Amino acid sequence: MQQEGLTEMKIYNRITLAATAAACLLVVPWPDPAPARIQGSCSDCHTMHNSQDDDVMTFDEPAPRENLLRGDCLGCHAMDIGTPTYDLTTDKIPQVHHTGGIDLAAGNFRHITTSGNQNRGHNIIDLNGAETTLLYPPGLTAVSQHTNFWNNHIVSCVSREDTAGCHGLRQRINTLPEGITGAHHNNTDGQLDQATVTGNSYRFLLGVKGYEDPDWELTTGPGDHNEYYGRTTPIQLGCGGAGSGNTNCHSSGGALVPPDGTMSQFCASCHGNFHTLANGDDVGIGPDAVSPFLRHPTDLALPTDGEYAAYISYNPEAPVARTAGVPGGPSSSVTPGTDAVMCLSCHRAHASEYPDMLRWDSTTIIAGQGTGNNDGCFVCHTTKN
């Protein structure tokens, strides 16, 4: 990082950020093509004594931070709070909150903070304040220990004792950075088909497999995008584990992981009723993953006949998951019968400009108009427009 860049960051981080923010390691700019493993001067991210020339070295608060870090997640990944001219096309740091015109594949939390609408995405306490509408995640599986957990917790970047989070080790941890510690240094980029630790999991989502496209903020066409891992048939979640008919989503160490490595089952660990098989009642997409469904299916292969058979050219507006294995690079084709619909086929992971974190405005998706535009729902439902 150039010295002038550090000066700008130092000025910016005089702005007080939420003290509860999860303490991720800071990422510094890198040349293209962008490797995910951190590079650059150690002093860009760390300070030995939090003192230099009689001044503090931390970015976001004067007190020393764990792991000798100079800042937390927002100190690097939400820079436009203090520097709105931050250029996403040249400054290669993923920005979860920004004013630029190019969003991450996961979206932009700014759609919540500027609109004031909590239904635009995940309401992380660090940026958006505590959730005031919903006590639990929509579709939360009705298990008593889960409701007790959510009664007393709020959402942040990573889990700790008083928050629930998505990135890193997902369990209650007292020390702030432990859930993500070391992940930037140990990150494996490109094809991520192991997902055994945070560093070799897709986007630091423990247990999730996939392919990370190097230019994660730019989608230039059907051959330039992330790839997601999926299943041809969804599973039935539960806490019983082997022999119970349910699939356990807790590892032996207590951490919460998707039992099959898919993005949809990762989301199902909080939104289980929306993404899993029904357990003999109306919980889930249905008892047998066969139409008519109770809820829109995920981790289910696109049919090879009817309207779905026409979705053969990859459209980033409605991504699919690959069930044959984790790809080694992006593909511009879709194969009905093998490729699957998933939660991110319709939603952004962080936030979007549309209600319910959708990738498009559902009020403009009107059946029977004969426009011939395969947008939104019509990417898969090709005959409905």
Side-chain angles (χ1 to χ4, degrees), residues 176-312:
L176 188 58
E178 290 304 310
I180 201 75
T181 293
H184 286 86
H185 289 288
N186 299 323
N187 186 215
T188 303
D189 52 1
Q191 183 184 31
L192 303 175
D193 56 0
Q194 299 299 314
T196 54
V197 295
T198 300
N200 66 11
S201 297
Y202 179 83
R203 303 301 184 197
F204 295 164
L205 304 174
L206 181 60
V208 177
K209 301 175 183 179
Y211 169 80
E212 296 181 354
D213 194 56
D215 56 344
W216 26 255
E217 287 176 326
L218 303 174
T219 298
T220 58
D224 182 16
H225 52 78
N226 296 317
E227 288 281 1
Y228 305 94
Y229 179 59
R231 292 173 53 96
T232 56
T233 304
I235 63 175
Q236 185 171 293
L237 281 180
C239 297
S244 69
N246 298 330
T247 303
N248 196 353
C249 56
H250 292 279
S251 69
S252 58
L256 188 62
V257 296
D260 56 9
T262 71
M263 181 65 72
S264 288
Q265 296 311 315
F266 177 87
C267 298
S269 60
C270 290
H271 307 282
N273 291 349
F274 292 167
H275 301 296
T276 58
L277 289 179
N279 189 13
D281 53 25
D282 67 347
V283 175
I285 68 171
D288 50 14
V290 175
S291 180
F293 296 102
L294 297 173
R295 294 176 175 87
H296 195 288
T298 54
D299 269 350
L300 191 69
L302 291 169
T304 58
D305 56 0
E307 59 187 340
Y308 311 99
Y311 185 17
I312 57 175

Side-chain angles (χ1 to χ4, degrees), residues 47-51 56-58 60-71:
T47 175
M48 298 303 99
H49 305 291
N50 194 28
S51 176
V56 298
M57 298 300 293
T58 49
D60 50 355
E61 57 187 38
R65 304 191 63 87
E66 299 91 340
N67 289 358
L68 308 182
L69 286 172
R70 298 183 64 188

